Amino acid sequence: MIELRHLRTLIALRDAGSLVEAAERVHLTQSALSHQIKDLEERLGTALFVRKTRPVEFTRAGQRLLVLAEQVLPLVRMAERDVARLIGHEPGRLHMAIECHSCFQWLMPTIDRFRDHWPEVEIDIPGGHHFDPLPALAREQLDLVITADPQPLTGVYYEPLFRYEGLLAVARQHRFAERSFVTPANLAEETLITYPVEHARLDVFTQFLDPAGVRPREIRTAELTVMMMQLVASGRGVCALPNWALTEYLERDYVKAVGLGEAGMWSTLYAAIRDESRDQPWMEDFLRTARETSFAVLEGIKPA
């Protein structure tokens, strides 16, 4: 009567808070998800949640199934890992590079969870790269690259992790602080603070400024997000960051955030791996863990 897909759906509904977002997380249409839940409710003879509540309010029956899901799904996943080991897969190597300065907020918890389940996999994040990560992945110097800038490379597969919105951080007293969005032309007289990477790897240039033929008055760099926020809060410039990277600073009212363009500037973050790694059980589990952890710890992201 109760299937694993039902339990996964209820967890997604609880975590997402709405049918629309839950459907995206389990890769179903809203109609298909509604039908699945209705079918389960008819089998059980009771409603599982109160319609038109946000966040979703579960009935006592729904709450009981959530408890079941929290007990059963981790056991199923553990069994899948154990079976993968029993069929004789070689211990893996996971050397990775991150083309995303603010990704450690969700990547470190991901690695911690993954290491608990796959202690035999060799994990490393080599520092001081003197090569481009994606070509190095193709040459087998690396095994995974976190990137928002996929390049067509033979033998490399890009697994979408989630979508995020880039926002412009400005000082609380800045002339843009009360706006809902800015246009590229608005940045022509601004100092833009960026990470010290090529402009071709920064969304604010490739998606926002370059298509409009606009250059900021000045560009300066900072190594760390916290340094960028200090400069922005002091009125020394503005910077574009993923929405999740700004959450803690917005909650403290340290800076203000403004949309980039009327429709917003949305990008997709990918995990780049080699084609032959796609079917490795430990790699599949790492990618699943990365998605789950991202949605657990980050705000404002969407399924890719």
Side-chain angles (χ1 to χ4, degrees):
M1 180 179 291
I2 301 172
E3 303 173 24
L4 291 178
R5 64 191 178 104
H6 296 140
L7 299 182
R8 293 188 177 105
T9 291
L10 291 175
I11 291 291
L13 188 58
R14 180 199 64 189
D15 293 346
S18 73
L19 278 172
V20 174
E21 294 181 20
E24 290 180 340
R25 294 196 184 190
V26 296
H27 307 292
L28 293 174
T29 64
Q30 183 180 350
S31 175
L33 185 69
S34 298
H35 181 77
Q36 182 189 118
I37 296 173
K38 183 179 180 181
D39 177 63
L40 178 58
E41 289 177 328
E42 289 177 352
R43 295 190 198 185
L44 297 172
T46 185
L48 297 176
F49 67 95
V50 181
R51 266 58 177 179
K52 298 182 180 179
T53 56
R54 187 179 177 96
V56 174
E57 180 181 338
F58 287 89
T59 63
R60 291 181 63 185
Q63 292 172 4
R64 179 62 186 88
L65 289 189
L66 282 172
V67 172
L68 175 66
E70 291 173 341
Q71 294 170 339
V72 169
L73 293 179
L75 292 175
V76 171
R77 191 159 173 186
M78 186 181 302
E80 291 173 342
R81 296 186 186 104
D82 291 342
V83 169
R85 292 186 179 95
L86 289 172
I87 61 178
H89 286 287
E90 293 293 325
R93 186 195 76 167
L94 187 55
H95 290 189
M96 65 184 80
I98 300 94
E99 292 188 338
C100 167
H101 283 66
S102 53
C103 282
F104 286 97
Q105 185 175 346
W106 60 266
L107 185 61
M108 292 300 101
T110 295
I111 292 174
D112 289 340
R113 286 181 59 190
F114 177 78
R115 187 187 297 111
D116 290 341
H117 298 299
W118 296 91
E120 68 272 29
V121 175
E122 177 189 324
I123 303 174
D124 195 9
I125 307 178
H129 292 303
H130 300 291
F131 50 77
D132 289 334
L134 288 172
L137 172 67
R139 294 193 302 267
E140 300 188 16
Q141 291 176 272
L142 295 170
D143 306 296
L144 182 146
V145 177
I146 302 297
T147 182
D149 184 26
Q151 302 172 18
L153 291 172
T154 302
V156 173
Y157 170 75
Y158 295 91
E159 175 75 16
L161 297 175
F162 56 82
R163 296 177 64 232
Y164 63 92
E165 183 180 11
L167 296 174
L168 188 73
V170 303
R172 289 181 299 169
Q173 68 274 18
H174 196 280
R175 61 194 178 102
F176 297 158
E178 301 305 318
R179 293 193 183 189
S180 58
F181 68 91
V182 294
T183 66
N186 293 143
L187 299 190
E189 299 302 319
E190 298 292 326
T191 296
L192 182 64
I193 305 166
T194 73
Y195 293 115
V197 299
E198 298 174 4
H199 294 173
R201 291 169 52 192
L202 294 172
D203 294 342
V204 68
F205 286 101
T206 60
Q207 294 191 44
F208 192 65
L209 294 173
D210 289 351
V214 173
R215 300 291 290 180
R217 180 185 62 188
E218 182 182 350
I219 299 172
R220 65 178 298 179
T221 62
E223 292 278 352
L224 302 175
T225 303
V226 64
M227 295 170 59
M228 297 171 76
M229 290 298 95
Q230 290 177 348
L231 290 170
V232 169
S234 301
R236 305 297 297 275
V238 299
C239 74
L241 289 173
N243 47 5
W244 83 76
L246 290 174
T247 299
E248 65 173 297
Y249 301 100
L250 297 176
E251 289 176 348
R252 289 162 35 203
D253 198 29
Y254 194 67
V255 297
K256 297 289 186 180
V258 184
L260 289 163
E262 187 172 5
M265 187 182 75
W266 286 85
S267 304
T268 299
L269 196 68
Y270 298 88
I273 60 177
R274 288 186 300 279
D275 283 333
E276 65 265 24
S277 300
R278 293 176 62 182
D279 295 329
Q280 293 286 348
W282 54 266
M283 182 65 82
E284 291 178 347
D285 196 52
F286 181 85
L287 296 176
R288 187 191 309 178
T289 301
R291 277 190 292 269
E292 291 176 353
T293 304
S294 299
F295 282 96
V297 303
L298 302 179
E299 295 184 11
I301 63 174
K302 295 182 178 181

